[in-house]
Structure formats: C-alpha cells, structure tokens
Amino acid sequence: MNDLNRQAIANYKNDFLREVEERVEDGDWVRMCMQCGVCAGSCPLGNAWEHTPQKLFMMIRAGKREEVLSSDSMWMCTSCYNCIVRCPRKLPITHIMHGLAHYAHKLNMAPKGQPTRDIAKLFWDNLVKTGRVNELKFSLAMYFKDGFMQGIRNALAMQAVGMGLVKAKRLNPMEILGGHKCKDQGGIHRMIAKARAIEAHKKG
Amino acid sequence: MSEMKTAAYICSGCELGDKLDVAQLSKIAQKEGKMALVREHEFLCSEAAVQIIRDDIANEAVTHICIAACSRRAKTEAFHFPEVAMSRANLREGVIWIVAEGSEHDEVRQDMADDYVRMACAELKKMKLPQGNPNHAGNKRILVVGGGMSGLTAALEAAEAGYEVVLIEKENQLGGWASKLWKRVPFKQPYAEPQDTGAAALAAKVTAHPRITVHLNSTLAETSGAPGRFGVQIAQESGASVTEEVGAIVQATGFSAYDLNKLPELGGGKPNVTDQAGLEALARAANGATIKRADGKEISSVVFIQCAGQRDDSGTHLPYCSGHCCATSVKQAMYFKDANPDVDTVVMYTDLRMPGMGEDFYRSAQDKGVIFTKGKAAAVETSGDGCTVKFRDLILDEDTAVNADLVVLATGQVPNAGVDLEAWNPIVTAAEGGSEEAKVQRVELHKTSVLKLNYRQGPDMPQLKQGFSDSHFICFPYETRRTGIYAAGPVRRPMDMLQATEDATGAALKAIQAVENASLGRAAHPRSGDLSFPSARLEGCTQCKRCTVECPFGAIDEDEKRYPVFNESRCRRCGTCMGACPVRVISFENYSVDTVGMQIKAVDMPDEFSEKPRILLLACENDAYPALDMAGLQHHVYSAFVRAIPVRCLGSVNTIWITDALNSGYDGVMLMGCKHGDNYQCHFVKGSELANYRMSKIDDTFKQLGLEPERVITHEVAITDHARVAQLINDYAAKINEIGMSPMKAFA
Ligand code: SF4
Ligand code: SF4
Ligand code: SF4
C-alpha cells in the first residue's frame, strides 16, 4: 500500500464526523451543510481565515481531524452572526465555530499562542476566581503573558493610559490586593461546576 | 359542389372608416374583385353583422366570403363560417395600425388597403371549401409498445379514457426497469424515504383491465398504414404471429444502461465496481438487510460516482445528463444507511442535480449521515479486497483518495429508439444502387428496428438529438415526426420515473387526439382540425421524388411505378411537398400555388417612375405573421410598400411565386420564417431549412438573369420579434430604395 492509500483509510469515513457530532456543540449540524459557500462569502473576516466555515465542514467530513482541530480558523470568529442569518440550510455556524474551538482547546490541540485563545483563557481564569473580573489583574496578566521582560515593556508603553485611568477613578491600584468579590463565591463555584457537569453529560 | 357565389364584407369599425375610403374598397371588391355581393358595416364582428353574413349564406347561397377587416388571427370566433370558403383582407393590423399617421400618408395607406382587398378577392376565387381527407379510417385502438412504467401508464390512461389498448412487451413480464428496483425515489410528501415502486400493482391493474390486451414476449414485425388504420404484425417468441389493427401508437421503449465496459478508467468491468442497476439487484437480494457484494462480503463502505460516462465533452461518452441518477444514488445510499447506519456512504458529484422535490430527499440523506463530496473521480483501482477511488476534492482543492468495498457508477440512459434514419438512408440508397454489401447492412440494421414501419422514409421515427425520438423538446413535446406515433418516457428524452409517468399520460392523450382527428379526416398538430389535405395531379408528376424525400413527416410513400402515394392521415398539412414540386401538381383545396400566385398578381403595380416600389413579404403564419400582427398592435410603423401574404410554412413556398413576383414587377421579395438548423423553431421541423436551401439555389438564377441577388431576402424571425420585423421591413425598403426600382417593371 502506498502512502496515499494509508492516508486514505480514514478519509471520507464517518469516524471524525461522528466524533464532532457527539462532542462538539451543535456538531450534529455539520452533515447538513450543502457546500453552497454562502457562509464563506458572508463572513466579514472570511478572507483572513485559512479555512472558511464551509471548508471546515468539508474537512470534517473528509476526516481531517488533525488539520481541523489544530486550525487557527474557528478562533477568528467574531460572533457577528452574518453566516447564521444567511445559511440556506440554517446551520448554527457561529455556535459550531465556537464549539470546535472549545473542543480543540479541551483536547489541547488548539494552536499555541493563538491570541483569541490566550485572552479567553486569561479572562475566564480571572473571572471564575471571585465571580467578578479584576480589571487590574487581567490587564497585568495580558501584559505579562509573553514573559517578564515583555511585560515590563508593555507596562511602560501603556503607562500614560494607566495613569489616566487611575486619575479618572476608572482603575483602582488597590485591586491588586484582591479587589471586589462576589458575595457568594461558593455559590458561583458550585454553579460553574454544575454547568461543567451538564456540558460533560451532553457532549461525552 | 354547387355554383360558386362570392361576397365581400368590408368593415369600417376600429377606425377603418376614418383612415380609409371604404366606399373605394367596396368598388374595388365589386369591379376588380368581381364579388357578387358587397356589403359595408360599421361593426362587422358584432352579432348583428355576423347574422347578416349568416343570412347571406343561408338565403343568398353565398359559398365564398371575403372579410376585409382585421387580421385573420383576430375575431376568429365571430368570423367562423365552416360551411363556406373564406379569405381575410388584413386592413387593421396590416394597414391602418402600421402606416404612419398623418394625411401625407393617406395615399399610400389607401393603396395598401386597396391591394389587400384585391388580393383577398383573388385568393378567394381560387379557394375551395376543404372536404376532409377522403381516405380516413376510424380505428380508435391504441398500441403501446413497451410495458415499463411509461408504457403501463400510457396503456392505463388511454384505457381509463375509454379507448381499447394493445400493449406489447418484449420480456416475459410487465414492469420494465421499475420491476427490477428495490425501491423508487419518493414522489409523495415528505420526500424523505425511498418508496415502493408500485410497478407490480400497476402491472396487475393493466393485466386485469377489460380494455387492455397484453402481448408478452412480443415484438413488432411490421407496421403499416396511417393514423386511424395502422396494421401491425406482432411476432411472438413462440414463432406465432398476431395481426392487430390500431389507430395510433405510443412508443414507450425506454432506455438501456450505458455499457459499463466503456468506462475502464472508472473500473467498469472490474469486480466490486457496478452500476446503479447492479446495485438494485444486490439490494433486492439483501431484502432490507445489510447489502452484500456479489462475493458475499457484507459491504461496510461504498462510493457512488455521479455522471460516470455522462456530461462528457470529449466526445467519448454521453454528452448529456440523464436527470435521474443523482436522486437514484441518493436513494441507493439510503439503502445502506437504513440497513446499517455504520456503513460509510460517499456520494461524489460535480453538481448534485435534484429536480422536483429532490432537495428534501437530499436533505434527508444528509440527515441519515450520507457524506456528500464535490469531487471529480480520476480513476478507480481495485486494491486488495476492495477499490480505491482517486479523485480531486473540488472544495478542498486537492488530489486525494478513498477506499471502499464497492463502487457504484451512476451511468446514463441510452434510448431504445431503433434505427437511426441518418444511418439508414445512405445504406438504402447504396442498396438500391446495387451494392451487395449495403443490402446485407440494410437487413442487419432493419433487425434493430423497433417499429418496423414499412414507410418509404425508414423503419423508425427520426431522432432529434443523441438518438432520442422527439421532434422538439420544448415547443412540441411528445410530437414526433411520424404522425399518430408518439414517444413517451426515456426514449423521448432522459428522465426519471415520475417524469416518465407524466410523459406517458401526455402521450396517451396525444394518441387519443390523433385517432379522433383521423377518424374525422382532420389534421393533427400543429394544424389540428384542419380539413384540407394535399392532392397531386399525378398526370403531371415527373416522379422526381422531391415530395417523398422532403416531406418532414414521412407521409408520402411510392407505388410500384414510383409515383407518390399520399397518406393523408400521416400528413400535417405543412405544404412542404407543394413547395418542393417543380411541376406544381400538389395543392390543397384552400391553399395552393394558385391561391397565393393570384394574390401576388392581383396587386396593382405602379410604374417605375412612380417612386412606389412594391415588396412582397411571404410570412410564416406560425411565427412571422403573428409577429407582424403584434407589430401592428404595438403601432410599430413600417413601410406601406410591403404586401404581406401568410404562408403555412416557408417550406410551402414554391419558387414559382418568387419568379412570378419578380416578373410582374415587384422590386423585392422578403421571406420570413422560423429559425432552422440545430435549434430549429420551425413548426414543421424542416420547412424553413428547405426554404433556405431553395432560396440559395434561386440566387444563382438571379445572377444569371442579371438581377441583384438582394431582390430576394430570407429572415429567421421568432414570434416575439414584433419590433424587429418592422425594423427588417424598413431596412429592406431602404435597401430597395438604394438599389433602385426593378428593371423588370418595364416588361411586366
Ligand atoms: S459569526 Fe463568525 S463565522 Fe459567522 S460570519 Fe461572523 S465571524 Fe464569520
Ligand atoms: S452557508 Fe450553510 S450550507 Fe452553505 S456552505 Fe455555509 S454552512 Fe454550508
Ligand atoms: S410535405 Fe407536409 S403537406 Fe406534404 S405530405 Fe408531407 S406533411 Fe403533408
């Protein structure tokens, strides 16, 4: 068997499509795409993506697991909902894009250093701790996400903006000590745990 | 027929009275037209006026009437006098609506109207009231050839409408392809699941029907005669022969699958590669369980390759799309998914074509998990235990491959239309010329004929394109070029089962019309109901065979002495034979070399210094003449020097009319007919093409006479060309002005 054939074994088979259907939010819609390309033509960012939604759907059906899950494309979605409104087959494309990104993240196959992924992770970690976003810590975490030296440089570059915010009482330096919290932090944590359990139950 | 008594009725309504000197028209009808009775009326299509005409027919023994009013295509219900011969002078659409307004045009307008009255009177005197085809016969039974879905439907529809049907089928059972399918593509709500074919139930209904006689294991040995009196010999497998008389024939001989072995690059002929028919057989064997290959292995992956050997522009395979195969593959993929959802099914298409409600069916297949991929198959290789399909994924834009236990090629439909007359005719000519080889070929080819017609013009129907028996896919579906014989189903054009059943219903109704018209001695489409028919004065015939060869409908045979034998019931009344005849012996009672010739001569010809040229316009009454009427309706102004005469078809134009016109001083002759060639629109298929050919010959004659070839010009026009016809006339009038008046006027 030559190389092409070995690669062909999983090609255009149900396996990956099934996986997406079972584990990705709204993944069971992927099979309904009729490859018209309306989403690809409607996405305002489409030309910046390596693979348009249309192509991603075809790649899933073609069994290209590695390529899809390590793709940067679905991370580019800005949730404008143009595609959902226009898809003649009524696919919830935006949701599938986020579902795919989330699934790739969970499997740790998402591209390292992908900015959307990084921001989302920092935001989420920051939020779940106290139930409120600590803007100071979030900004600092953003500055220092690429290392200590880069963080110092970022902070110096943004110094004037930071001082302005402090003067205008939009930023409280004391937040560094812990800052505002939700009244019932335990409740928030229980809520999130429950949501996780539901999600795990829905998509194995 | 009794003594001819003529009458002319001149209308002054619709502003005719304001724009024309009606009294002068009356005088012309009386003095020059020699009408015995002339009446004017200010509202000729009114009930009162029509009653006056009726009274004249009843009390004054009027046998011929000339109506000088609107176009012959207008007010046909008011001016309906089937008991008399009638001509119409078109003064409204043809004169007052198209001549420029204003008193400076009064003279030419009146000239034009005067001439149209002269012409209508001249025509009338040469007309006879058509009596109907004397050789008609009234057999109303309908023969259906082929017992598949189309044939069964046609038989049942005709029988249910009260007609007796004879159905012949070459196999030992009814049902055709349908009986070989596991399920059919759905044709009812919600268009989501394959459905039972219904073939067995339909066959049972046909077999039990009291008005249907079924002959199984039978083919046609010979077909002779004409609508209303076809004689058919049915050869049975046992060697026995049955003779039946029928009035019309529906040919529903269906299709054969394209030969798989012609597709070796797609694995055709190799194990584990089959066509859609092959897959149906496997599905029937599985009977709803997991489908197994011929070698017994359960199939866990299958690839369908669409358009295999179809839509091919290289000239190797079928160039057309067979229309049903996408839906069929979708259905077959469902066979697998319904038995076991884990089977991998891939439908590989370049364009998925799902006509009708097919989109719902497609969606349903996607929902079942069938994988659709837009791709072009490059090769199918048998590898190990299965196949590898190498293809280009047209969405992902890459060469790739997929493995499968079985590959199904969606091949096309090849019509079972019998002998291609284009191949037949040269062989016959060679055989008649004495070639021994051609004689053998002729016998062999004849064996492949379906209808075995004993017509002079060949044993089957002429084929339109790619071997399909039709006369025009869009304008006249079901109409073939053999009157009283109608093609239905995939022998007519590629189609699916639902379309075939609708088609068969249409063809059955056509056959019923044919037997009814034939029994009354009337023409079939497109001059349905016409009672006139061609007759030939054989004493003058030179046996040139032009009429026999040129008749587009194979209506004319030859007797032992090589004289033409007209089968009036097979004739469509186009007049092509009349136009072809060099000695002008063919005519119809109400349409002849004389009825038109006398109109041409009746025109008052101004002299060469009058600055009033005359242009004869012979316009096909199917498209060109209606377009002229519409030009009138839209008040497009055109030259008042033109004199238009409607003709049945440009094919009926005898070149004598052209030479007569030029000899009598016309400055130009325009011919307007339908589009000819590959995408022809001629109602009589070949008429406008023949006219064009004949005019190309006449050109040479002109050159010899020293006459400018531009004095005769032919145009293709469509019924929608109302603005264009006016423009063409004006352009031509300008051209005539440029080349000057005809030098022939001096001799006229
Ligand atoms: S919602 Fe996302 S995928 Fe859809 S058009 Fe907008 S950015 Fe593109
Ligand atoms: S618009 Fe919908 S159907 Fe069309 S390609 Fe995009 S997802 Fe598929
Ligand atoms: S050429 Fe036309 S009119 Fe003449 S026999 Fe044939 S169908 Fe009839």
Side-chain angles (χ1 to χ4, degrees):
Chain A
M1 230 185 254
N2 59 26
D3 273 344
L4 193 58
N5 280 347
R6 204 165 309 132
Q7 178 212 331
I9 289 173
N11 268 2
Y12 301 87
K13 299 286 187 251
N14 292 335
D15 321 345
F16 185 42
L17 179 61
R18 280 271 164 86
E19 181 181 341
V20 169
E21 284 172 351
E22 281 160 15
R23 308 203 169 182
V24 172
E25 184 182 355
D26 279 335
D28 48 350
W29 276 95
V30 171
R31 60 177 186 260
M32 298 310 290
C33 167
M34 64 169 178
Q35 294 297 314
C36 66
V38 164
C39 52
S42 304
C43 181
L45 297 164
N47 52 3
W49 298 26
E50 194 188 354
H51 310 297
T52 59
Q54 175 205 8
K55 271 204 178 170
L56 284 172
F57 298 153
M58 196 61 232
M59 287 162 72
I60 293 169
R61 288 160 18 170
K64 293 179 178 289
R65 188 173 190 274
E66 236 347 273
E67 267 183 72
V68 170
L69 294 178
S70 62
S71 169
D72 164 71
S73 293
M74 55 271 194
W75 294 96
M76 307 289 279
C77 172
T78 59
S79 309
C80 71
Y81 282 79
N82 260 0
C83 52
I84 287 203
V85 170
R86 293 186 180 172
C87 173
R89 280 296 179 81
K90 301 195 169 80
L91 266 75
I93 304 166
T94 316
H95 304 170
I96 305 172
M97 291 303 108
H98 297 318
L100 281 172
H102 182 57
Y103 185 56
H105 170 74
K106 243 172 50 181
L107 296 182
N108 209 15
M109 288 174 78
K112 301 260 151 7
Q114 210 291 334
T116 315
R117 185 188 182 197
D118 285 350
I119 291 183
K121 190 168 159 28
L122 290 175
F123 187 89
W124 177 255
D125 292 348
N126 183 304
L127 172 74
V128 292
K129 260 189 210 131
T130 64
R132 294 186 77 139
V133 178
N134 184 315
E135 288 181 5
L136 187 70
K137 283 188 180 171
F138 181 50
S139 307
L140 290 176
M142 282 293 294
Y143 290 174
F144 288 92
K145 79 178 172 59
D146 296 323
F148 185 72
M149 287 313 291
Q150 186 58 37
I152 298 292
R153 257 176 256 143
N154 288 342
L156 287 174
M158 295 299 286
Q159 201 177 18
V161 178
M163 290 314 287
L165 285 169
V166 171
K167 269 193 204 137
K169 298 210 160 74
R170 307 299 302 172
L171 196 71
N172 184 354
M174 292 330 246
E175 290 275 317
I176 194 85
L177 301 175
H180 291 74
K181 297 179 176 74
C182 261
K183 273 187 196 143
D184 180 11
Q185 275 194 67
I188 290 280
H189 290 151
R190 279 196 301 282
M191 240 164 69
I192 289 168
K194 182 72 187 167
R196 283 221 160 97
I198 293 173
E199 191 190 8
H201 177 72
K202 258 169 61 179
K203 298 277 175 193
Chain B
M1 210 172 126
S2 55
E3 197 75 350
M4 178 196 294
K5 178 158 183 194
T6 55
Y9 300 90
I10 300 165
C11 182
S12 57
C14 286
E15 291 193 321
L16 287 165
D18 306 338
K19 298 234 160 109
L20 299 171
D21 180 348
V22 173
Q24 179 170 322
L25 297 178
S26 295
K27 203 153 69 187
I28 288 174
Q30 205 159 27
K31 293 263 161 60
E32 299 179 42
K34 303 254 179 323
M35 295 291 107
L37 192 70
V38 178
R39 293 193 201 276
E40 292 170 19
H41 200 282
E42 73 285 350
F43 190 5
L44 195 59
C45 57
S46 65
E47 219 163 292
V50 168
Q51 193 53 48
I52 294 174
I53 301 176
R54 285 219 187 89
D55 291 345
D56 284 348
I57 296 170
N59 309 329
E60 306 281 331
V62 167
T63 59
H64 285 62
I65 63 175
C66 164
I67 304 278
C70 41
S71 164
R72 56 159 67 188
R73 300 178 58 259
K75 302 285 168 200
T76 49
E77 275 158 35
F79 302 133
H80 178 66
F81 309 106
E83 65 278 38
V84 297
M86 178 171 70
S87 69
R88 307 260 313 244
N90 183 357
L91 305 181
R92 192 180 68 171
E93 288 85 344
V95 182
I96 62 164
W97 283 357
I98 56 90
V99 177
E101 300 280 334
S103 55
E104 66 273 33
H105 301 288
D106 282 353
E107 189 183 325
V108 289
R109 191 185 301 116
Q110 185 69 31
D111 282 353
M112 201 178 194
D114 290 352
D115 272 348
Y116 277 136
V117 171
R118 290 184 187 104
M119 290 159 76
C121 295
E123 179 189 15
L124 184 65
K125 284 179 286 181
K126 288 290 172 190
M127 289 171 94
K128 284 195 216 79
L129 182 66
Q131 299 296 314
N133 163 22
N135 297 323
H136 65 259
N139 191 310
K140 293 188 183 175
R141 301 171 83 207
I142 290 163
L143 172 72
V144 176
V145 187
M149 218 56 185
S150 321
L152 290 173
T153 308
L156 199 62
E157 292 287 346
E160 289 290 287
Y163 292 80
E164 264 191 57
V165 175
V166 180
L167 186 144
I168 68 166
E169 164 57 47
K170 66 175 186 314
E171 289 184 25
N172 62 3
Q173 59 161 18
L174 296 174
W177 279 112
S179 65
K180 299 183 175 70
L181 305 183
W182 167 236
K183 293 267 163 68
R184 66 179 283 190
V185 171
F187 61 102
K188 287 197 186 115
Q189 275 275 32
Y191 304 97
E193 306 292 335
Q195 256 173 256
D196 186 67
T197 63
L202 187 60
K205 249 190 186 168
V206 164
T207 314
H209 203 288
R211 277 189 290 277
I212 305 177
T213 314
V214 177
H215 296 279
L216 293 175
N217 297 313
S218 303
T219 52
L220 286 172
E222 188 179 5
T223 305
S224 58
R229 55 172 178 88
F230 284 113
V232 291
Q233 289 223 6
I234 300 169
Q236 297 184 326
E237 206 179 38
S238 60
S241 170
V242 184
T243 309
E244 296 270 14
E245 272 259 328
V246 297
I249 300 173
V250 173
Q251 180 175 343
T253 43
F255 69 98
S256 306
Y258 190 67
D259 184 2
L260 259 188
N261 294 314
K262 288 186 184 160
L263 297 164
E265 65 281 13
L266 293 180
K270 289 192 197 140
N272 308 328
V273 177
T274 185
D275 60 6
Q276 293 181 323
L279 188 84
E280 292 293 339
L282 296 179
R284 281 168 66 86
N287 198 23
T290 305
I291 299 174
K292 290 183 187 146
R293 282 197 318 215
D295 64 5
K297 180 180 190 286
E298 287 202 355
I299 296 165
S300 66
S301 55
V302 57
V303 173
F304 295 86
I305 300 180
Q306 296 311 109
C307 309
Q310 303 194 65
R311 301 174 63 206
D312 173 67
D313 49 19
S314 73
T316 324
H317 302 299
L318 304 179
Y320 52 85
C321 159
S322 291
H324 77 94
C325 352
C326 282
T328 300
S329 288
V330 167
K331 173 194 74 171
Q332 295 186 335
M334 284 191 188
Y335 291 172
F336 289 96
K337 284 290 184 192
D338 289 346
N340 175 6
D342 285 336
V343 175
D344 288 305
T345 51
V346 173
V347 176
M348 192 178 292
Y349 63 90
T350 50
D351 308 281
L352 202 68
R353 295 179 171 179
M354 304 290 291
M357 298 305 287
E359 196 65 21
D360 286 348
F361 194 43
Y362 170 30
R363 229 189 314 256
S364 167
Q366 285 183 294
D367 199 36
K368 288 175 193 271
V370 176
I371 291 185
F372 288 85
T373 177
K374 189 173 168 75
K376 185 135 189 62
V380 175
E381 288 164 8
T382 29
S383 61
D385 186 32
C387 308
T388 301
V389 181
K390 297 198 165 160
F391 72 105
R392 179 146 197 96
D393 187 311
L394 296 172
I395 298 289
L396 303 180
D397 206 17
E398 62 184 15
D399 291 321
T400 179
V402 53
N403 287 350
D405 289 338
L406 184 78
V407 170
V408 182
L409 302 182
T411 56
Q413 295 179 326
V414 181
N416 295 333
V419 173
D420 176 6
L421 302 188
E422 306 273 331
W424 171 260
N425 286 325
I427 292 174
V428 172
T429 311
E432 281 170 359
S435 155
E436 289 305 320
E437 196 196 337
K439 280 181 192 162
V440 176
Q441 271 182 311
R442 181 171 62 179
V443 172
E444 285 307 307
L445 202 55
H446 192 261
K447 283 186 192 153
T448 66
S449 165
V450 173
L451 295 174
K452 304 253 171 54
L453 294 165
N454 67 356
Y455 289 12
R456 164 73 178 83
Q457 294 166 319
D460 280 301
M461 294 192 273
Q463 299 165 359
L464 179 57
K465 271 185 186 159
Q466 316 299 345
F468 289 93
S469 302
D470 202 321
S471 100
H472 198 293
F473 291 131
I474 295 164
C475 298
F476 341 110
Y478 322 116
E479 285 299 342
T480 62
R481 279 181 258 164
R482 293 295 176 260
T483 312
I485 309 179
Y486 301 95
V491 70
R492 188 173 79 74
R493 66 166 179 77
M495 61 177 78
D496 64 23
M497 207 185 279
L498 180 60
Q499 288 169 325
T501 48
E502 281 168 7
D503 212 52
T505 309
L509 291 176
K510 278 279 170 191
I512 290 171
Q513 284 175 4
V515 293
E516 291 299 340
N517 272 323
S519 74
L520 296 170
R522 307 194 307 195
H525 167 96
R527 297 186 57 83
S528 186
D530 185 359
L531 283 168
S532 73
F533 58 91
S535 65
R537 216 170 20 83
L538 290 182
E539 313 86 84
C541 171
T542 59
Q543 296 148 300
C544 73
K545 290 202 220 172
R546 285 227 207 130
C547 56
T548 341
V549 172
E550 292 189 4
C551 169
F553 302 103
I556 313 172
D557 290 328
E558 271 161 27
D559 66 11
E560 323 76 64
K561 293 195 205 122
R562 303 261 168 195
Y563 280 111
V565 178
F566 284 80
N567 290 279
E568 294 84 355
S569 307
R570 268 154 48 183
C571 160
R572 303 280 179 93
R573 282 66 167 173
C574 62
T576 298
C577 49
M578 175 173 121
C581 182
V583 287
R584 301 178 293 282
V585 298
I586 303 173
S587 62
F588 299 77
E589 292 129 309
N590 55 1
Y591 183 62
S592 63
V593 171
D594 276 352
T595 59
V596 175
M598 294 316 281
Q599 292 184 68
I600 294 173
K601 289 181 192 143
V603 167
D604 183 51
M605 190 57 64
D607 67 27
E608 52 200 307
F609 311 109
S610 63
E611 292 183 3
K612 285 182 183 171
R614 287 291 173 257
I615 297 167
L616 175 66
L617 168 53
L618 297 171
C620 158
E621 67 179 15
N622 300 300
D623 271 36
Y625 202 71
L628 287 167
D629 274 357
M630 271 189 279
L633 210 60
Q634 309 267 344
H635 294 266
H636 295 305
V637 170
Y638 64 76
S639 168
F641 298 140
V642 95
R643 299 292 177 262
I645 299 179
V647 294
R648 287 189 180 183
C649 171
L650 273 201
S652 71
V653 171
N654 194 297
T655 46
I656 189 75
W657 295 339
I658 317 281
T659 36
D660 273 1
L662 293 169
N663 280 326
S664 47
Y666 282 87
D667 304 281
V669 179
M670 294 183 89
L671 280 84
M672 287 187 185
C674 300
K675 191 175 163 66
H676 53 81
D678 262 359
N679 293 312
Y680 73 90
Q681 291 174 359
C682 175
H683 287 51
F684 299 103
V685 187
K686 291 274 167 215
S688 56
E689 186 172 314
L690 286 165
N692 205 53
Y693 172 75
R694 292 177 200 150
M695 290 313 127
S696 71
K697 293 272 162 196
I698 217 172
D699 262 13
D700 304 342
T701 326
F702 288 161
K703 278 176 213 149
Q704 283 162 17
L705 284 174
L707 218 50
E708 300 83 349
E710 296 95 323
R711 297 239 181 241
V712 179
I713 184 166
T714 311
H715 285 293
E716 288 182 351
V717 303
I719 196 159
T720 45
D721 282 348
H722 44 86
R724 188 171 154 253
V725 288
Q727 190 60 47
L728 289 173
I729 291 173
N730 290 337
D731 291 350
Y732 191 55
K735 176 100 207 162
I736 292 295
N737 195 29
E738 203 176 285
I739 53 180
M741 301 288 256
S742 164
M744 305 295 285
K745 278 195 206 291
F747 311 105

